[in-house]
Amino acid sequence: MSPITAIAVIAGLTVAGVLVYRKKSYAETLESSPAAAGGSGKWPYYDLIKKYADKYGVDPALVAAHAKTESGWDPSAVNLENPELDYDSSYGLLQVQLATAQDFGKVANYREATSEEIFWLMDVDHNVQVGAWNIARWQKKYPFDVAIQMYNVGESGYNRGYRNSGYLRRVKEAYDEYRTA
């Protein structure tokens, strides 16, 4: 997808009231009640997270911890890492990248994603499904701390030496909080 197409998609999402563009900040957290965010349990989106965590065999508290850390519970979050390479951006509650959605089988070519594919990924149900699947695939393959890092920097990034100790710490803190809630 060209940068112009990406801008048009983002503008369309904004006009439609689906998306409020913001550069995410890991220091920023948005607290909301579980009921207001479509959940009836221990954290926002509890029912949806539990549904897909159970489906993919991962602890729902870990999925919730990633959601809190990735987007601060904002399902409309978009992180345009590099607007010239919109395919490197991450979307939604669990900040899923188009390449991950391609691995999941819902994006044909992440480098040329269509607006329909981005809209699909921004849907909170789809976003949580793909995010939970992605967490589960790393958990099945790597030790706990490495799997958390894989979710954040990807397998190729991790293998090239990228690490985010702050991200790891925040996810583990949120995980401990949600596990004991």
Side-chain angles (χ1 to χ4, degrees), residues 68-131:
K68 179 180 181 180
T69 305
E70 286 286 349
S71 72
W73 293 111
D74 182 357
S76 65
V78 173
N79 184 6
L80 296 177
E81 286 291 331
N82 179 350
E84 296 296 316
L85 301 173
D86 55 286
Y87 60 80
D88 194 35
S89 301
S90 47
Y91 300 90
L93 191 66
L94 282 157
Q95 291 293 280
V96 178
Q97 290 190 319
L98 292 166
T100 303
Q102 179 178 314
D103 291 347
F104 185 75
K106 290 298 183 176
V107 169
N109 180 346
Y110 76 94
R111 290 180 182 264
E112 297 176 6
T114 66
S115 57
E116 290 82 13
E117 290 168 327
I118 293 173
F119 278 116
W120 183 90
L121 187 56
M122 287 296 298
D123 177 86
V124 73
D125 186 85
H126 299 147
N127 193 270
V128 171
Q129 181 178 18
V130 176

Side-chain angles (χ1 to χ4, degrees), residues 15-103:
V15 169
V18 173
L19 172 69
V20 176
Y21 170 77
R22 69 177 178 82
K23 179 72 174 178
K24 74 178 175 181
S25 164
Y26 286 118
E28 173 185 9
T29 58
L30 303 174
E31 294 301 325
S32 56
S33 72
S40 62
K42 303 173 184 182
W43 53 74
Y45 302 98
Y46 178 83
D47 297 334
L48 187 61
I49 288 171
K50 181 154 178 29
K51 171 184 169 181
Y52 288 117
D54 289 350
K55 178 177 181 174
Y56 295 111
V58 66
D59 187 343
L62 182 59
V63 178
H66 278 283
K68 179 180 181 180
T69 305
E70 286 286 349
S71 72
W73 293 111
D74 182 357
S76 65
V78 173
N79 184 6
L80 296 177
E81 286 291 331
N82 179 350
E84 296 296 316
L85 301 173
D86 55 286
Y87 60 80
D88 194 35
S89 301
S90 47
Y91 300 90
L93 191 66
L94 282 157
Q95 291 293 280
V96 178
Q97 290 190 319
L98 292 166
T100 303
Q102 179 178 314
D103 291 347

